[in-house]
Amino acid sequence: MSLTEKDRQYLWHPYTQHKTSQTPIAITKAEGALLWDENNKEYIDAIASWWVNPFGHSNKFIADAIYKQLTTLEHVLFGGFTHEPAVKTAERLMEILPKNQQKIFFSDNGSTAVEVAIKVALQYFFNKNEKRTTIIAFENAFHGDTFAAMAASGISFYTQAFQGMFIDVVRIPVPIKGQEQASFDALENAIKKHNCAGFIFEPLVQGAAGMVMYEPEALEKLIKICKENQVLTIADEVMTGFGKTGKTFAMDYVLEEPDMICLSKALTGGTIPMAITTFTQDIFNAFYDDDINKALFHGHTFTANPTGCAAVLASIDLLQTPKMQQNIERINASHLNFQKKIENHSKVITARTLGVIFAVEIKSESEESYYGSMRTKLYNFFIDKGVVLRPVGNIVYILPPYIMTDEQLHKVYTTIEEAIEMV
Ligand SMILES: *Cc1c(COP(=O)(O)O)cnc(C)c1O
Protein backbone atom coordinates (compact mmCIF):
# COMPACT_ATOMS: atom_id res chain seq x y z
CA MET A 1 0.00 0.00 0.00
CA SER A 2 1.21 3.51 -0.78
CA LEU A 3 1.42 6.21 1.88
CA THR A 4 -1.77 7.83 0.66
CA GLU A 5 -3.65 4.50 0.62
CA LYS A 6 -2.61 3.82 4.21
CA ASP A 7 -3.57 7.40 5.08
CA ARG A 8 -7.05 6.78 3.71
CA GLN A 9 -7.35 3.67 5.85
CA TYR A 10 -6.23 5.15 9.18
CA LEU A 11 -6.31 8.92 9.29
CA TRP A 12 -8.80 11.71 9.93
CA HIS A 13 -7.65 15.12 8.62
CA PRO A 14 -8.52 18.62 9.89
CA TYR A 15 -11.37 20.55 8.21
CA THR A 16 -11.94 17.62 5.85
CA GLN A 17 -15.08 15.91 4.56
CA HIS A 18 -13.47 12.56 3.77
CA LYS A 19 -16.29 11.35 1.56
CA THR A 20 -15.80 14.10 -1.02
CA SER A 21 -12.25 15.31 -0.42
CA GLN A 22 -9.30 14.67 -2.67
CA THR A 23 -6.45 12.36 -1.69
CA PRO A 24 -3.89 14.23 0.42
CA ILE A 25 -0.43 14.80 -1.01
CA ALA A 26 2.30 12.84 0.79
CA ILE A 27 5.21 15.16 1.53
CA THR A 28 8.52 13.43 2.17
CA LYS A 29 11.00 16.31 2.39
CA ALA A 30 11.09 20.08 2.90
CA GLU A 31 13.78 22.71 2.72
CA GLY A 32 13.58 26.51 2.68
CA ALA A 33 10.35 27.49 0.93
CA LEU A 34 10.09 24.15 -0.91
CA LEU A 35 8.26 20.88 -0.31
CA TRP A 36 8.68 17.58 -2.21
CA ASP A 37 6.06 14.85 -2.46
CA GLU A 38 6.57 11.07 -2.69
CA ASN A 39 6.86 11.32 -6.48
CA ASN A 40 9.53 14.00 -6.09
CA LYS A 41 7.22 16.75 -7.38
CA GLU A 42 8.31 20.15 -6.04
CA TYR A 43 5.95 22.70 -4.44
CA ILE A 44 6.51 26.28 -3.28
CA ASP A 45 5.01 26.67 0.20
CA ALA A 46 3.47 30.12 -0.35
CA ILE A 47 1.44 30.05 2.88
CA ALA A 48 4.25 28.96 5.22
CA SER A 49 2.31 25.77 6.09
CA TRP A 50 -0.62 27.58 7.70
CA TRP A 51 1.43 30.62 8.70
CA VAL A 52 3.85 28.84 11.03
CA ASN A 53 7.13 28.86 9.12
CA PRO A 54 8.92 32.21 8.67
CA PHE A 55 12.52 30.99 8.39
CA GLY A 56 12.14 28.08 5.99
CA HIS A 57 11.61 24.36 6.42
CA SER A 58 14.19 22.09 8.04
CA ASN A 59 16.02 25.13 9.36
CA LYS A 60 19.42 23.99 10.64
CA PHE A 61 19.87 26.74 13.22
CA ILE A 62 16.60 25.91 14.99
CA ALA A 63 17.16 22.15 14.56
CA ASP A 64 20.57 22.41 16.26
CA ALA A 65 19.08 24.38 19.17
CA ILE A 66 16.34 21.74 19.55
CA TYR A 67 18.85 18.88 19.40
CA LYS A 68 21.06 20.49 22.02
CA GLN A 69 18.08 20.99 24.32
CA LEU A 70 16.76 17.46 23.68
CA THR A 71 20.06 15.99 24.82
CA THR A 72 20.36 18.28 27.89
CA LEU A 73 16.85 18.56 29.35
CA GLU A 74 14.07 17.43 27.03
CA HIS A 75 11.19 17.94 29.44
CA VAL A 76 10.35 18.39 33.08
CA LEU A 77 6.97 19.10 34.64
CA PHE A 78 6.35 22.83 35.17
CA GLY A 79 4.23 22.37 38.31
CA GLY A 80 6.65 23.04 41.14
CA PHE A 81 9.67 23.12 38.81
CA THR A 82 11.28 25.63 36.49
CA HIS A 83 14.18 25.75 34.01
CA GLU A 84 16.42 28.13 32.14
CA PRO A 85 14.77 27.85 28.69
CA ALA A 86 11.42 29.00 30.17
CA VAL A 87 12.99 31.90 32.07
CA LYS A 88 15.05 32.97 29.05
CA THR A 89 11.98 32.78 26.80
CA ALA A 90 10.12 35.11 29.17
CA GLU A 91 13.07 37.53 29.27
CA ARG A 92 13.44 37.57 25.48
CA LEU A 93 9.70 38.08 24.92
CA MET A 94 9.53 40.90 27.44
CA GLU A 95 12.24 42.74 25.50
CA ILE A 96 10.10 42.73 22.33
CA LEU A 97 6.48 42.75 23.56
CA PRO A 98 4.52 45.92 24.37
CA LYS A 99 6.02 47.32 27.59
CA ASN A 100 3.01 46.61 29.81
CA GLN A 101 3.27 42.82 29.33
CA GLN A 102 4.83 41.43 32.51
CA LYS A 103 3.86 37.76 32.90
CA ILE A 104 3.81 34.84 30.50
CA PHE A 105 1.81 31.59 30.63
CA PHE A 106 2.67 28.61 28.41
CA SER A 107 0.33 26.28 26.57
CA ASP A 108 0.36 24.18 23.41
CA ASN A 109 -1.39 25.86 20.47
CA GLY A 110 -3.21 28.98 19.34
CA SER A 111 -6.58 27.76 20.60
CA THR A 112 -5.25 27.07 24.10
CA ALA A 113 -3.50 30.47 24.17
CA VAL A 114 -6.92 32.03 23.47
CA GLU A 115 -8.72 29.67 25.87
CA VAL A 116 -6.36 30.79 28.66
CA ALA A 117 -6.87 34.49 27.84
CA ILE A 118 -10.67 34.18 27.88
CA LYS A 119 -10.68 32.15 31.11
CA VAL A 120 -8.38 34.75 32.70
CA ALA A 121 -10.65 37.61 31.58
CA LEU A 122 -13.67 35.88 33.14
CA GLN A 123 -11.92 34.84 36.36
CA TYR A 124 -10.34 38.30 36.75
CA PHE A 125 -13.80 39.73 37.44
CA PHE A 126 -14.93 36.64 39.38
CA ASN A 127 -11.96 37.16 41.71
CA LYS A 128 -13.00 40.80 42.16
CA ASN A 129 -16.61 39.79 42.89
CA GLU A 130 -17.82 41.66 39.84
CA LYS A 131 -20.39 40.03 37.56
CA ARG A 132 -18.93 40.26 34.07
CA THR A 133 -19.46 37.21 31.90
CA THR A 134 -19.69 38.41 28.30
CA ILE A 135 -16.86 38.43 25.77
CA ILE A 136 -16.86 40.85 22.81
CA ALA A 137 -15.45 39.64 19.46
CA PHE A 138 -15.36 40.72 15.83
CA GLU A 139 -17.62 39.33 13.14
CA ASN A 140 -15.85 36.67 11.05
CA ALA A 141 -13.13 36.34 13.65
CA PHE A 142 -11.11 33.16 14.00
CA HIS A 143 -9.61 32.35 17.39
CA GLY A 144 -9.35 28.55 17.28
CA ASP A 145 -11.34 25.36 17.80
CA THR A 146 -11.49 24.73 21.55
CA PHE A 147 -14.78 25.76 23.17
CA ALA A 148 -14.17 29.33 24.31
CA ALA A 149 -12.03 30.06 21.24
CA MET A 150 -14.78 28.62 19.04
CA ALA A 151 -17.40 30.73 20.82
CA ALA A 152 -15.37 33.85 20.05
CA SER A 153 -14.96 32.80 16.41
CA GLY A 154 -17.53 34.10 14.00
CA ILE A 155 -17.19 31.73 11.07
CA SER A 156 -20.51 30.03 11.55
CA PHE A 157 -20.30 26.86 9.48
CA TYR A 158 -17.33 25.75 11.60
CA THR A 159 -19.37 26.00 14.76
CA GLN A 160 -23.04 25.50 13.89
CA ALA A 161 -23.25 22.08 15.60
CA PHE A 162 -22.38 23.73 18.91
CA GLN A 163 -24.63 26.81 18.90
CA GLY A 164 -26.37 27.25 22.22
CA MET A 165 -23.55 25.59 24.15
CA PHE A 166 -21.20 28.56 24.21
CA ILE A 167 -20.14 31.22 26.70
CA ASP A 168 -21.83 34.57 26.06
CA VAL A 169 -20.28 36.43 23.13
CA VAL A 170 -21.46 39.63 21.46
CA ARG A 171 -20.14 40.36 18.02
CA ILE A 172 -19.24 43.76 16.59
CA PRO A 173 -18.37 44.69 12.98
CA VAL A 174 -14.72 44.94 11.94
CA PRO A 175 -13.69 48.62 11.51
CA ILE A 176 -12.68 48.26 7.86
CA LYS A 177 -12.11 51.55 6.02
CA GLY A 178 -15.26 53.64 5.92
CA GLN A 179 -17.08 51.53 8.50
CA GLU A 180 -15.15 52.51 11.62
CA GLN A 181 -17.96 54.44 13.28
CA ALA A 182 -20.35 51.47 13.09
CA SER A 183 -17.75 49.39 14.87
CA PHE A 184 -17.17 52.01 17.62
CA ASP A 185 -20.92 52.41 18.13
CA ALA A 186 -21.47 48.66 18.31
CA LEU A 187 -18.73 48.33 20.92
CA GLU A 188 -20.21 51.10 23.10
CA ASN A 189 -23.63 49.52 22.76
CA ALA A 190 -22.34 46.07 23.67
CA ILE A 191 -20.65 47.43 26.78
CA LYS A 192 -23.82 49.31 27.79
CA LYS A 193 -26.14 46.33 27.31
CA HIS A 194 -24.00 43.44 28.62
CA ASN A 195 -21.66 42.76 31.53
CA CYS A 196 -18.55 42.64 29.38
CA ALA A 197 -15.33 41.12 30.74
CA GLY A 198 -13.13 41.23 27.66
CA PHE A 199 -12.74 42.12 24.00
CA ILE A 200 -10.75 39.71 21.83
CA PHE A 201 -9.51 40.68 18.37
CA GLU A 202 -7.04 39.75 15.65
CA PRO A 203 -5.00 42.98 15.44
CA LEU A 204 -5.00 44.64 11.96
CA VAL A 205 -5.45 41.41 9.96
CA GLN A 206 -8.17 38.77 10.25
CA GLY A 207 -6.35 35.74 8.87
CA ALA A 208 -8.93 32.99 8.42
CA ALA A 209 -11.54 35.49 7.19
CA GLY A 210 -9.30 35.99 4.14
CA MET A 211 -6.69 38.49 5.34
CA VAL A 212 -9.27 41.21 6.05
CA MET A 213 -7.35 44.35 7.07
CA TYR A 214 -8.15 47.47 9.12
CA GLU A 215 -6.21 50.47 10.39
CA PRO A 216 -4.28 50.82 13.68
CA GLU A 217 -6.13 54.08 14.52
CA ALA A 218 -9.45 52.22 14.53
CA LEU A 219 -8.10 49.59 16.90
CA GLU A 220 -6.68 52.33 19.14
CA LYS A 221 -10.13 53.84 19.46
CA LEU A 222 -11.74 50.46 20.25
CA ILE A 223 -9.14 49.71 22.93
CA LYS A 224 -9.66 53.18 24.40
CA ILE A 225 -13.39 52.56 24.70
CA CYS A 226 -12.64 49.25 26.45
CA LYS A 227 -10.21 50.92 28.86
CA GLU A 228 -12.73 53.62 29.76
CA ASN A 229 -15.11 50.81 30.74
CA GLN A 230 -12.60 48.47 32.45
CA VAL A 231 -13.12 45.84 29.72
CA LEU A 232 -9.97 43.73 29.31
CA THR A 233 -8.45 43.66 25.82
CA ILE A 234 -6.97 40.51 24.26
CA ALA A 235 -4.78 40.81 21.17
CA ASP A 236 -4.77 37.45 19.38
CA GLU A 237 -1.40 37.68 17.60
CA VAL A 238 -1.31 33.95 16.86
CA MET A 239 -1.20 34.67 13.11
CA THR A 240 0.20 38.23 13.04
CA GLY A 241 3.09 37.76 15.48
CA PHE A 242 6.82 37.63 14.71
CA GLY A 243 7.15 39.85 11.67
CA LYS A 244 4.20 38.95 9.44
CA THR A 245 2.83 42.50 9.40
CA GLY A 246 6.25 44.08 8.85
CA LYS A 247 6.77 44.80 12.56
CA THR A 248 7.48 42.21 15.24
CA PHE A 249 3.87 42.36 16.41
CA ALA A 250 0.82 43.94 14.80
CA MET A 251 0.32 45.75 18.11
CA ASP A 252 3.59 47.62 17.41
CA TYR A 253 1.54 49.75 14.98
CA VAL A 254 -1.01 50.54 17.69
CA LEU A 255 -0.43 53.23 20.33
CA GLU A 256 -2.74 51.63 22.91
CA GLU A 257 -1.39 48.51 24.68
CA PRO A 258 -3.62 45.44 25.17
CA ASP A 259 -4.04 43.67 28.52
CA MET A 260 -3.25 40.23 27.10
CA ILE A 261 -1.51 38.85 24.01
CA CYS A 262 -1.85 35.37 22.49
CA LEU A 263 1.13 33.88 20.62
CA SER A 264 1.66 30.62 18.73
CA LYS A 265 2.18 29.59 15.05
CA ALA A 266 5.54 31.26 14.18
CA LEU A 267 6.55 31.30 17.87
CA THR A 268 8.80 28.25 17.40
CA GLY A 269 9.62 28.95 13.75
CA GLY A 270 7.15 26.26 12.68
CA THR A 271 8.90 23.42 14.50
CA ILE A 272 7.36 22.45 17.85
CA PRO A 273 3.74 23.06 18.91
CA MET A 274 3.79 25.70 21.63
CA ALA A 275 1.81 28.78 22.65
CA ILE A 276 2.10 31.63 25.11
CA THR A 277 -0.42 34.02 26.63
CA THR A 278 1.05 37.20 28.11
CA PHE A 279 -0.45 39.49 30.78
CA THR A 280 -0.09 42.80 32.55
CA GLN A 281 0.95 42.89 36.19
CA ASP A 282 -2.55 44.14 37.08
CA ILE A 283 -4.11 40.95 35.71
CA PHE A 284 -1.61 38.76 37.53
CA ASN A 285 -2.31 40.67 40.75
CA ALA A 286 -6.02 39.80 40.57
CA PHE A 287 -5.02 36.13 40.97
CA TYR A 288 -2.26 36.75 43.57
CA ASP A 289 -3.78 36.14 46.98
CA ASP A 290 -3.60 34.11 50.20
CA ASP A 291 -6.82 32.48 49.01
CA ILE A 292 -5.91 29.45 46.86
CA ASN A 293 -9.27 29.70 45.08
CA LYS A 294 -8.14 32.89 43.36
CA ALA A 295 -5.35 31.02 41.51
CA LEU A 296 -5.58 30.20 37.83
CA PHE A 297 -6.36 26.48 37.81
CA HIS A 298 -5.34 25.86 34.26
CA GLY A 299 -2.41 23.86 32.93
CA HIS A 300 -1.23 21.43 30.31
CA THR A 301 1.02 18.40 30.68
CA PHE A 302 3.67 19.84 28.37
CA THR A 303 3.57 23.38 29.81
CA ALA A 304 6.82 25.26 29.02
CA ASN A 305 8.41 22.24 27.31
CA PRO A 306 12.15 23.11 27.30
CA THR A 307 12.60 21.87 23.72
CA GLY A 308 9.84 24.20 22.57
CA CYS A 309 11.43 27.06 24.52
CA ALA A 310 14.78 26.37 22.82
CA ALA A 311 13.00 26.64 19.47
CA VAL A 312 11.42 29.96 20.53
CA LEU A 313 14.82 31.40 21.51
CA ALA A 314 16.44 30.29 18.24
CA SER A 315 13.49 31.72 16.26
CA ILE A 316 13.73 35.13 17.93
CA ASP A 317 17.50 35.11 17.19
CA LEU A 318 16.74 34.50 13.51
CA LEU A 319 13.95 37.08 13.35
CA GLN A 320 16.26 39.76 14.76
CA THR A 321 19.08 39.26 12.24
CA PRO A 322 19.42 42.18 9.79
CA LYS A 323 19.17 39.63 6.98
CA MET A 324 15.71 38.48 8.09
CA GLN A 325 14.48 42.04 8.58
CA GLN A 326 15.69 42.83 5.04
CA ASN A 327 13.83 39.76 3.77
CA ILE A 328 10.60 41.05 5.30
CA GLU A 329 11.09 44.45 3.64
CA ARG A 330 12.04 42.83 0.33
CA ILE A 331 8.88 40.70 0.27
CA ASN A 332 6.72 43.67 1.29
CA ALA A 333 8.13 45.83 -1.56
CA SER A 334 7.66 42.95 -3.98
CA HIS A 335 4.01 42.44 -2.86
CA LEU A 336 3.30 46.18 -3.29
CA ASN A 337 4.61 46.03 -6.86
CA PHE A 338 2.50 43.00 -7.63
CA GLN A 339 -0.54 44.68 -6.06
CA LYS A 340 -0.06 47.74 -8.28
CA LYS A 341 0.26 45.48 -11.30
CA ILE A 342 -2.97 43.54 -10.81
CA GLU A 343 -5.34 45.75 -8.80
CA ASN A 344 -6.86 47.33 -11.90
CA HIS A 345 -7.42 44.03 -13.68
CA SER A 346 -11.08 43.64 -14.67
CA LYS A 347 -11.37 40.41 -12.69
CA VAL A 348 -9.81 41.82 -9.51
CA ILE A 349 -12.20 43.31 -6.95
CA THR A 350 -9.47 44.49 -4.60
CA ALA A 351 -5.91 43.70 -3.52
CA ARG A 352 -4.18 44.50 -0.21
CA THR A 353 -0.77 44.16 1.44
CA LEU A 354 0.59 44.44 4.96
CA GLY A 355 4.12 43.25 5.71
CA VAL A 356 4.59 39.86 4.02
CA ILE A 357 0.82 39.33 3.78
CA PHE A 358 -0.81 39.84 0.39
CA ALA A 359 -4.43 39.13 -0.58
CA VAL A 360 -6.44 39.53 -3.77
CA GLU A 361 -10.21 39.14 -4.16
CA ILE A 362 -11.19 37.69 -7.50
CA LYS A 363 -14.50 38.46 -9.20
CA SER A 364 -16.75 35.48 -9.60
CA GLU A 365 -19.92 35.00 -11.63
CA SER A 366 -22.01 33.91 -8.65
CA GLU A 367 -21.78 34.39 -4.89
CA GLU A 368 -19.23 31.79 -3.78
CA SER A 369 -18.89 30.34 -0.32
CA TYR A 370 -15.69 29.33 1.47
CA TYR A 371 -15.98 25.82 0.06
CA GLY A 372 -17.42 26.99 -3.23
CA SER A 373 -16.50 25.64 -6.63
CA MET A 374 -14.23 28.59 -7.48
CA ARG A 375 -12.13 27.87 -4.42
CA THR A 376 -11.65 24.22 -5.42
CA LYS A 377 -10.85 25.17 -9.00
CA LEU A 378 -8.24 27.69 -7.85
CA TYR A 379 -6.71 25.33 -5.29
CA ASN A 380 -6.34 22.50 -7.80
CA PHE A 381 -4.84 24.86 -10.37
CA PHE A 382 -2.20 26.05 -7.89
CA ILE A 383 -1.33 22.51 -6.73
CA ASP A 384 -1.05 21.38 -10.34
CA LYS A 385 1.43 24.22 -10.95
CA GLY A 386 3.43 23.28 -7.83
CA VAL A 387 2.37 26.22 -5.65
CA VAL A 388 0.71 25.71 -2.26
CA LEU A 389 -1.98 28.36 -1.84
CA ARG A 390 -5.29 27.81 -0.01
CA PRO A 391 -7.84 30.36 -1.21
CA VAL A 392 -10.60 31.45 1.16
CA GLY A 393 -13.58 31.44 -1.19
CA ASN A 394 -12.62 33.94 -3.90
CA ILE A 395 -9.73 35.40 -1.88
CA VAL A 396 -6.21 34.24 -2.73
CA TYR A 397 -3.56 35.20 -0.21
CA ILE A 398 0.20 34.79 0.02
CA LEU A 399 2.00 34.50 3.36
CA PRO A 400 5.44 33.23 2.39
CA PRO A 401 8.35 32.15 4.56
CA TYR A 402 10.56 35.25 4.81
CA ILE A 403 13.43 33.40 3.12
CA MET A 404 11.42 32.83 -0.09
CA THR A 405 13.63 33.89 -3.04
CA ASP A 406 12.60 36.55 -5.58
CA GLU A 407 12.47 33.80 -8.20
CA GLN A 408 10.08 31.70 -6.13
CA LEU A 409 7.96 34.76 -5.35
CA HIS A 410 7.81 35.58 -9.05
CA LYS A 411 6.53 32.10 -9.80
CA VAL A 412 3.82 32.49 -7.14
CA TYR A 413 2.74 35.82 -8.67
CA THR A 414 2.61 34.55 -12.27
CA THR A 415 0.68 31.49 -11.14
CA ILE A 416 -1.89 33.75 -9.47
CA GLU A 417 -2.11 35.89 -12.64
CA GLU A 418 -2.72 32.75 -14.71
CA ALA A 419 -5.37 31.63 -12.22
CA ILE A 420 -7.18 35.00 -12.50
CA GLU A 421 -7.32 34.53 -16.28
CA MET A 422 -8.52 30.94 -15.89
CA VAL A 423 -11.51 31.39 -13.53
C1 LIG B 1 -4.58 29.67 13.84
C2 LIG B 1 -5.16 30.65 14.77
C3 LIG B 1 -5.64 30.27 16.03
C4 LIG B 1 -5.70 28.84 16.47
O1 LIG B 1 -4.44 28.25 16.58
P1 LIG B 1 -4.31 26.67 16.58
O2 LIG B 1 -2.86 26.44 16.83
O3 LIG B 1 -4.75 26.20 15.24
O4 LIG B 1 -5.16 26.14 17.66
C5 LIG B 1 -6.10 31.25 16.88
N1 LIG B 1 -6.10 32.54 16.51
C6 LIG B 1 -5.66 32.94 15.31
C7 LIG B 1 -5.67 34.41 14.96
C8 LIG B 1 -5.18 32.01 14.39
O5 LIG B 1 -4.76 32.41 13.19
Side-chain angles (χ1 to χ4, degrees):
M1 267 202 293
S2 74
L3 257 185
T4 45
E5 280 165 349
K6 284 190 187 170
D7 176 283
R8 191 176 280 282
Q9 186 169 350
Y10 303 122
L11 293 170
W12 196 341
H13 285 258
Y15 308 115
T16 301
Q17 173 48 267
H18 279 273
K19 187 162 186 187
T20 54
S21 70
Q22 292 158 295
T23 314
I25 298 162
I27 297 297
T28 52
K29 200 173 68 168
E31 198 183 315
L34 298 175
L35 309 170
W36 289 272
D37 72 11
E38 57 184 343
N39 305 313
N40 224 21
K41 181 175 170 179
E42 187 179 288
Y43 302 84
I44 298 177
D45 185 356
I47 56 167
S49 283
W50 269 342
W51 325 335
V52 300
N53 193 306
F55 315 119
H57 290 280
S58 308
N59 183 285
K60 188 143 178 359
F61 184 75
I62 303 176
D64 285 346
I66 290 172
Y67 182 78
K68 197 163 161 235
Q69 191 57 52
L70 272 177
T71 48
T72 314
L73 170 67
E74 86 302 347
H75 185 68
V76 64
L77 69 165
F78 211 57
F81 292 86
T82 192
H83 49 76
E84 185 174 80
V87 173
K88 273 194 168 164
T89 296
E91 277 179 338
R92 281 301 285 282
L93 280 175
M94 250 140 249
E95 283 167 18
I96 57 176
L97 282 165
K99 289 282 160 281
N100 69 342
Q101 298 300 299
Q102 302 283 313
K103 286 282 183 295
I104 83 168
F105 189 95
F106 286 95
S107 62
D108 305 331
N109 57 68
S111 304
T112 55
V114 166
E115 205 75 17
V116 168
I118 291 177
K119 283 176 74 174
V120 164
L122 297 173
Q123 192 181 338
Y124 175 91
F125 290 105
F126 179 86
N127 283 359
K128 289 173 177 279
N129 274 322
E130 223 180 295
K131 190 183 154 39
R132 293 200 187 213
T133 53
T134 298
I135 298 294
I136 306 160
F138 278 141
E139 286 165 2
N140 291 319
F142 181 72
H143 296 292
D145 291 336
T146 54
F147 250 80
M150 199 167 41
S153 297
I155 299 174
S156 57
F157 62 83
Y158 279 19
T159 59
Q160 61 189 5
F162 312 103
Q163 293 302 326
M165 305 171 205
F166 290 141
I167 56 164
D168 294 334
V169 173
V170 281
R171 248 169 261 294
I172 64 168
V174 185
I176 52 173
K177 251 202 184 102
Q179 293 173 40
E180 291 93 340
Q181 196 57 45
S183 182
F184 305 154
D185 293 346
L187 179 62
E188 286 187 328
N189 236 334
I191 293 172
K192 227 175 270 161
K193 284 209 188 118
H194 305 268
N195 297 318
C196 294
F199 168 41
I200 184 164
F201 51 87
E202 295 159 89
L204 308 192
V205 190
Q206 289 188 298
M211 303 299 158
V212 171
M213 297 179 187
Y214 61 96
E215 297 297 317
E217 293 74 23
L219 186 52
E220 266 160 40
K221 171 84 178 165
L222 291 170
I223 294 176
K224 254 197 200 128
I225 295 171
C226 286
K227 291 202 166 152
E228 281 159 14
N229 293 280
Q230 293 82 47
V231 172
L232 298 173
T233 51
I234 306 165
D236 178 356
E237 293 245 17
V238 168
M239 188 282 283
T240 49
F242 302 100
K244 311 258 181 59
T245 64
K247 298 201 182 205
T248 305
F249 300 106
M251 289 310 293
D252 293 341
Y253 289 95
V254 180
L255 296 175
E256 294 287 334
E257 293 177 332
D259 295 298
M260 301 178 230
I261 299 178
C262 306
L263 305 171
S264 190
K265 293 213 162 101
L267 176 66
T268 60
T271 57
I272 291 179
M274 176 169 262
I276 287 172
T277 314
T278 73
F279 306 95
T280 60
Q281 188 66 39
D282 172 61
I283 291 181
F284 183 79
N285 289 348
F287 293 72
Y288 189 80
D289 202 277
D290 291 322
D291 181 1
I292 189 171
N293 294 309
K294 293 207 167 161
L296 176 64
F297 287 107
H298 185 106
H300 297 281
T301 312
F302 279 100
T303 297
N305 172 254
T307 315
C309 292
V312 175
L313 292 167
S315 296
I316 296 174
D317 281 346
L318 286 178
L319 179 67
Q320 291 181 334
T321 59
K323 183 90 212 280
M324 206 57 73
Q325 292 299 312
Q326 282 160 20
N327 276 332
I328 293 171
E329 284 168 30
R330 171 179 60 86
I331 291 172
N332 177 254
S334 179
H335 280 350
L336 288 170
N337 272 335
F338 181 54
Q339 179 179 332
K340 210 178 280 166
K341 185 171 173 208
I342 65 162
E343 66 192 348
N344 294 321
H345 190 290
S346 61
K347 277 177 151 176
V348 169
I349 301 168
T350 174
R352 51 185 174 265
T353 302
L354 182 66
V356 304
I357 306 167
F358 168 87
V360 54
E361 290 186 28
I362 303 172
K363 223 171 254 173
S364 58
E365 256 53 303
S366 58
E367 279 285 305
E368 302 275 352
S369 69
Y370 195 105
Y371 290 120
S373 60
M374 184 187 198
R375 192 248 169 221
T376 308
K377 210 170 149 190
L378 285 167
Y379 178 77
N380 290 340
F381 179 80
F382 294 136
I383 289 296
D384 185 53
K385 297 274 175 187
V387 178
V388 179
L389 288 166
R390 283 177 68 97
V392 179
N394 66 327
I395 302 169
V396 176
Y397 70 85
I398 313 172
L399 204 167
Y402 309 157
I403 47 77
M404 185 175 281
T405 65
D406 286 334
E407 233 183 340
Q408 290 163 342
L409 258 183
H410 185 73
K411 176 167 177 193
V412 175
Y413 294 148
T414 49
T415 308
I416 290 175
E417 284 181 290
E418 286 167 26
I420 292 172
E421 293 304 332
M422 178 226 28
V423 291

